[in-house]
Amino acid sequence: MTQVFVWIGIERVSDMSPILREIETVLKKYGIEKIDGDTSISSITYITLICELENVFQIEFPDEVLMTNILFDLEYLERVITHLIDNKKTI
């Protein structure tokens, strides 16, 4: 049986990308099961989630990305994280 998750009103089957699975794990850790137009989180929770995502993916979100409501568009969030991972500079 295929599991279906609902994010932003879009059904996603359980074979979602590893990045989306990790995002889902972080959100669930903070009690967020579903994100849609009615979802409301405090500014402290928002900052905590951003920091947690930065730690999990070992990235740092640029300020201009944080000016948007990035957590409420998971497809955009996935693209941003993928881009930041792919463009990490090696030391």
Side-chain angles (χ1 to χ4, degrees):
M1 179 157 96
T2 303
Q3 259 187 316
V4 176
F5 301 96
V6 178
W7 296 101
I8 322 171
I10 298 171
E11 292 184 353
R12 295 191 165 281
V13 294
S14 60
D15 63 347
M16 66 178 94
S17 76
I19 289 176
L20 273 178
R21 276 195 299 267
E22 217 36 66
I23 293 168
E24 176 190 40
T25 300
V26 170
L27 293 174
K28 283 184 175 185
K29 178 179 175 180
Y30 291 93
I32 301 169
E33 295 289 329
K34 178 180 163 186
I35 292 190
D36 59 24
D38 296 328
T39 303
S40 168
I41 61 173
S42 71
S43 57
I44 299 290
T45 301
Y46 183 84
I47 291 168
T48 302
L49 287 168
I50 292 297
C51 291
E52 181 77 15
L53 289 168
E54 287 181 332
N55 289 331
V56 165
F57 292 106
Q58 299 181 351
I59 58 170
E60 185 175 331
F61 290 108
D63 291 342
E64 58 271 12
V65 170
L66 296 176
M67 299 301 227
T68 65
N69 213 351
I70 191 171
L71 290 178
F72 293 99
D73 184 342
L74 293 182
E75 291 175 352
Y76 176 65
L77 178 58
E78 177 188 27
R79 285 193 311 270
V80 168
I81 290 172
T82 300
H83 175 76
L84 292 171
I85 289 170
D86 289 347
N87 291 299
K88 277 188 195 176
K89 294 182 180 177
T90 56
I91 298 177

